[in-house]
Amino acid sequence: MITKTNKMLGVVLGILFLGSSCEMNNLPLDSISPNTFFNTEGDLKLYTNSFYNMLPNAEGVYNERVDNIISTDLSDELRGTRIVPTSDGGWLWSDLRNINYFLVNSHRCPDNKAVMKYNGVARFFRAYFYFEKVKRFGDVPWYSEPIEPNDEKGLKKGRDPRTLIMDSILVDIDYAIANLPAEIRVNEITKWTALALKSRICLFEGTFRKYHTEFNLPNANRFLDEAISAADNLMRNGPYVIYNDNTGKAYQNLFSSMDAIPSEVILARNFDDGLQVYHNLNYYTMTASYGRPGLEKRLVNSYLMKDGSRFTDIAGYEKMGFYEEIQNRDPRLSQTIRTPGYTRIGETTKLVQEFGATVTGYQLIKYVTERKWDTYAKSANDMPIFRYAEVLLNYAEAKAERGTIVQEDIDRSIKHIRDRVNMPNMDVGSANKHPDPYQAEIYSGVTGNNKGIILEIRRERRIELVMESFRWDDIMRWKAGSILTKQFKGIYFPGTGSFDLDNDGTTDVVIYEGETKPDIKNVQLLKLNGDITLEYGNHGGNILINPHIEKVFDENKDYLCPIPISERLLNPNLTQNPGWKDGL
């Protein structure tokens, strides 16, 4: 449990984490005189606290808009309408300068143990910084020291090869692992956070190199082995388990808990009502203001039956109504969206989904807390950034992609995740003998002897980590961009008429045609081709989201982002990424 002392420390760090005002955030860090500042452990800690602002805010975690969670808005990435930006575009380097400035001055502190610890924090964040840059741009310049304004050579440096950058990232993260404390600190970087990050980095890079053969990147297996090793280290030596409160709602409770649960959550962003540090989750899921987010139909179809069998193997699954399709499914589905019998935390009134808040009909409840937090920007539950379940999934996937997976690997990883919700264990032999054709259609690039188990691990990852903003990176590393061009869909209706969504004997939704709205009270009224579009009009079908907007993914350029025009004008040694035309 988090002690009161640790909780207060977390609150203090959380303020820094959120970028609220403090002396370190009110002035450029490199304006601090090294002769007067880097003298004590307190100085080192205060400086490195500012690095936590690099991690995603709450919206950067839950506001996932790819093909898992759909809204009325389509991003430029999904529409294929991105252009080369004039400036910014993610090509920002001030965080790196602050990190490097710290690393060249921290030795001034006479406490060598403190120097090594906080250098570990700094190098964790430098690895994190460069990982984000590599994911976005591929090749980037490597800087290990701050660049001065008169350093013409440094300022005009070209892009270093991705291979050099990734090797340098490994050196940094390995230093962090070796020098950070092996403690449970849900609001601080520790050895365990570094191992979790390394497993994430190396799985990404190993699979990217495996599937993106067009880049001719070597040593994919080396990175998969590093991912396996990092995850295995944490699994064998770390203090974490998959949280289970034995209520039948442990998955939901993990995310709705006001305080991050330290038995599973390795690092979280802290929010606190007493300090008026909030995010916007409840409001986001319950109003039309944020595009009415909801799960997409293919993801819902991917949830297994409670007995471990495949929903999509059932004859006629495509035309099941909402109540029928929800029955006897993986319990995580009913702990991620509103399903029949849903009640708000602390209440007994049963609620159905509200189509004014969800465009697909699958309304989100992950992270949702009590009703008193529903006001705009007033949610105060902590937001996990690294958790143990991801590490287990990283381990299983790396083993499968490496071609070395055996049943024991599943038993010590994914089984624990499924045990939380009383789902049957995954079976390697059965998965490989009978690959799921539905998943194989989604991920057409998966081949080989381990095709079946890779597909099942991808299913598991998608379900367990939904709404935690992994999906874009996963699609990019798997070279699966064509997924994004598919028509996004919601729940199935057979046509116009009255519908009882929770089978309690009362009408919840009426879909009607024409200009005359039915005079019915306490029912959601949806006008066909106005409030809702069905695949086959008044003959029914799945809800279609933005059916008239074409989605395009260019396999030749969209796996990397463009370098901004202004940066290439300032530095002619910066080359542009393939396929992006900027006129230079």
Side-chain angles (χ1 to χ4, degrees), residues 496-513:
T496 56
S498 301
F499 301 95
D500 178 2
L501 298 176
D502 58 357
N503 201 36
D504 68 348
T506 61
T507 297
D508 298 305
V509 170
V510 171
I511 300 176
Y512 69 96
E513 287 186 280

Side-chain angles (χ1 to χ4, degrees), residues 319-382:
K319 294 186 178 181
M320 284 187 184
F322 177 71
Y323 180 82
E324 185 181 4
E325 73 170 331
I326 293 301
Q327 301 306 303
N328 300 312
R329 301 293 291 278
D330 181 333
R332 284 172 293 187
L333 182 57
S334 64
Q335 296 177 55
T336 302
I337 62 170
R338 290 191 182 188
T339 55
Y342 169 75
T343 62
R344 294 294 299 273
I345 294 173
E347 301 181 11
T348 58
T349 303
K350 295 178 180 179
L351 303 172
V352 299
Q353 60 266 54
E354 299 174 7
F355 283 81
T358 176
V359 69
T360 66
Y362 300 115
Q363 187 173 357
L364 304 169
I365 64 168
K366 187 170 177 176
Y367 303 103
V368 171
T369 52
E370 294 94 335
R371 191 180 297 273
K372 68 178 182 178
W373 307 107
D374 286 357
T375 308
Y376 173 75
K378 286 295 182 180
S379 291
N381 49 320
D382 290 349

Side-chain angles (χ1 to χ4, degrees), residues 217-244:
L217 295 167
N219 301 322
N221 285 342
R222 173 195 168 204
F223 281 90
L224 293 175
D225 287 341
E226 291 279 6
I228 293 166
S229 176
D232 181 71
N233 187 336
L234 200 157
M235 292 159 66
R236 290 181 183 278
N237 303 309
Y240 301 98
V241 296
I242 294 298
Y243 170 73
N244 193 348

Side-chain angles (χ1 to χ4, degrees), residues 477-498:
R477 65 188 176 90
W478 293 332
K479 200 181 179 182
S482 61
I483 291 173
L484 305 177
T485 66
K486 307 297 184 183
Q487 173 62 57
F488 293 153
K489 298 180 181 182
I491 70 174
Y492 176 86
F493 287 107
T496 56
S498 301

Side-chain angles (χ1 to χ4, degrees), residues 402-548:
R402 186 67 173 90
T404 60
I405 194 166
V406 294
Q407 187 61 42
E408 181 186 357
D409 298 318
I410 294 295
D411 295 346
R412 61 190 296 253
S413 58
I414 288 175
K415 182 181 186 299
H416 296 296
I417 296 173
R418 289 194 172 186
D419 283 349
R420 167 165 41 210
V421 291
N422 295 315
M423 283 289 291
N425 193 18
M426 187 181 293
D427 185 275
V428 174
S430 177
N432 281 333
K433 187 176 181 180
H434 305 287
D436 182 1
Y438 190 84
Q439 297 300 312
E441 183 179 356
I442 296 174
Y443 306 111
S444 58
V446 179
T447 60
N449 294 334
N450 276 329
K451 174 179 178 178
I453 194 64
I454 289 173
L455 293 175
E456 290 305 317
I457 292 169
R458 289 188 184 187
R459 180 208 305 272
E460 190 72 20
R461 182 179 181 89
R462 189 179 186 187
I463 288 167
E464 176 68 22
L465 300 181
V466 65
M467 211 174 171
E468 298 179 51
S469 287
F470 289 95
R471 185 62 174 170
W472 177 266
D473 287 348
D474 287 346
I475 289 174
M476 294 301 102
R477 65 188 176 90
W478 293 332
K479 200 181 179 182
S482 61
I483 291 173
L484 305 177
T485 66
K486 307 297 184 183
Q487 173 62 57
F488 293 153
K489 298 180 181 182
I491 70 174
Y492 176 86
F493 287 107
T496 56
S498 301
F499 301 95
D500 178 2
L501 298 176
D502 58 357
N503 201 36
D504 68 348
T506 61
T507 297
D508 298 305
V509 170
V510 171
I511 300 176
Y512 69 96
E513 287 186 280
E515 298 303 320
T516 303
K517 182 181 291 189
D519 186 16
I520 307 174
K521 305 299 183 183
N522 301 318
V523 171
Q524 298 180 66
L525 302 176
L526 302 176
K527 182 180 178 180
L528 185 64
N529 298 321
D531 301 313
I532 191 173
T533 300
L534 298 181
E535 198 165 2
Y536 304 108
N538 57 15
H539 296 292
N542 293 100
I543 295 174
L544 300 183
I545 294 87
N546 296 311
H548 305 301

